[in-house]
Amino acid sequence: MLERARPLRHPLPLTVPAGERFAARIGRLAIRSLYREVALDGKPGLVGPAGSGSHPDMDFTTFMRSLQALRGYFPAIAACGLQRPAFAPLQALGIAAEADMLAATAAVNTHRGAIFNLGLLCAALGVLQAKGATLNAEAACAVVRRHWGRDILAGLSETTAGAPLSHGLIVARRDGSGGARQEAASGFPAALNVGLPVYRATLAATGDGELAAMQALFALIAELEDTNLLWRGGRAGLDYGRRTAADFLAAGGVLAADWRAHAAAIDRAFVARRLSPGGSADLLGITLFLAELDGLA
């Protein structure tokens, strides 16, 4: 005689809750955007599939390990956003994610900026979803500015006792540059007003997402007060990077027939000077993420 089947003590749900589906979708967009940024080859001074640029301590594989470690973070912070949180819970999630990243990369900082920036934007989309508001780039950036801008800026003057300062904070205090915190607290104006319009226009002209991403990166380098360039090269390094990127765009950028050779020459020049526009690369990741929202239903 067959035994009657025993009920599961913790039966699995037949359907995934809507909030969980939403958070998972936003998390996938974040990871995909970060992958597209690091996989873009030929970026000046930056890590890509073909080389490490000005970063002998990391390579493409390091970034892949980091992305794997962060796969749970972005859905988690998007889900947190559904609760319309204050800044502190988001900060706690970010600190835990940074620890996971450092464990996966043997203490190499690959995605600290993305944990901060994209984490905030994922949470902002959660806030918009909870309100039943439209999900788009401008609305998400506005949520970051309005809900958490004051707390973000407080971090420029307040640090945890005994905690080492990031390069961005050192440069912000030394050179008066707001860096990533100022950009986030202001609602990511460089991404919204520089990176995203250039990306969209180049994508419309070429139909090629990689070309659009490269053009957007050079536009960001030309306009941004990149704290990574300031850290590595001082004001002269920043000025050189911005001028070189502006010259690339003036020559036609990725629409020029010889753009790859031009970009490769710039890459060699950056590496020779140990320059790395890491702040611009972080904003390219943000730009790619915001562009994904164009098709988000």
Side-chain angles (χ1 to χ4, degrees):
M1 183 176 179
L2 294 175
E3 291 186 12
R4 181 177 298 175
R6 296 178 181 178
L8 293 173
R9 186 169 297 177
H10 299 291
L12 295 173
L14 296 177
T15 59
V16 178
E20 187 176 334
R21 290 198 304 273
F22 168 81
R25 186 178 186 188
I26 298 305
R28 287 193 298 271
L29 294 184
I31 291 293
R32 184 163 69 202
S33 300
L34 294 177
Y35 176 79
R36 288 185 62 199
E37 184 276 315
V38 72
L40 186 65
D41 226 349
K43 304 183 300 291
L46 295 162
V47 174
S52 297
S54 299
H55 297 272
D57 60 335
M58 63 182 80
D59 58 18
F60 187 71
T61 301
T62 314
F63 274 78
M64 292 302 97
R65 291 199 300 268
S66 180
L67 285 180
Q68 184 63 33
L70 296 176
R71 293 184 75 87
Y73 164 66
F74 293 109
I77 200 165
C80 185
L82 291 168
Q83 309 304 314
R84 306 186 197 185
F87 185 66
L90 305 180
Q91 189 174 37
L93 285 169
I95 290 170
E98 186 172 321
D100 290 340
M101 172 197 74
L102 294 174
T105 62
V108 174
N109 169 26
T110 47
H111 286 113
R112 180 176 287 138
I115 289 169
F116 178 69
N117 294 318
L118 283 190
L120 286 169
L121 285 168
C122 287
L125 290 170
V127 170
L128 292 171
Q129 179 77 356
K131 292 180 176 179
T134 300
L135 306 181
N136 60 42
E138 292 74 17
C141 292
V143 167
V144 175
R145 184 182 74 249
R146 293 170 184 164
H147 285 236
W148 307 304
R150 183 177 301 177
D151 291 310
I152 293 168
L153 286 180
L156 285 172
S157 56
E158 300 173 6
T159 56
T160 304
L165 292 178
S166 69
H167 293 170
L169 279 176
I170 293 172
V171 168
R173 295 179 181 185
R174 185 188 70 195
D175 300 310
S177 172
R181 287 180 181 271
Q182 183 64 61
E183 179 72 14
S186 302
F188 304 103
L192 275 180
N193 301 324
V194 178
L196 195 56
V198 170
Y199 177 86
R200 286 169 171 164
T202 309
L203 184 63
T206 67
D208 190 315
E210 290 188 14
L211 293 181
M214 186 66 79
Q215 190 85 334
L217 175 62
F218 273 94
L220 288 164
I221 296 170
E223 294 291 334
L224 188 68
E225 192 164 77
D226 192 307
T227 55
N228 285 59
L229 289 176
L230 273 171
W231 170 258
R232 285 172 169 260
R235 183 62 58 176
L238 172 65
D239 290 344
Y240 174 82
R242 294 174 76 172
R243 183 173 65 252
T244 302
D247 290 345
F248 174 82
L249 295 170
V254 300
L255 301 180
D258 63 343
W259 81 265
R260 292 188 187 278
H262 193 173
I266 294 171
D267 179 37
R268 290 191 296 271
F270 272 46
V271 172
R273 291 167 172 80
R274 296 188 63 254
L275 295 176
S276 171
S280 301
D282 286 344
L283 279 169
L284 175 61
I286 295 169
T287 295
L288 295 174
F289 179 76
L290 295 176
E292 293 273 11
L293 303 184
D294 289 346
L296 192 64

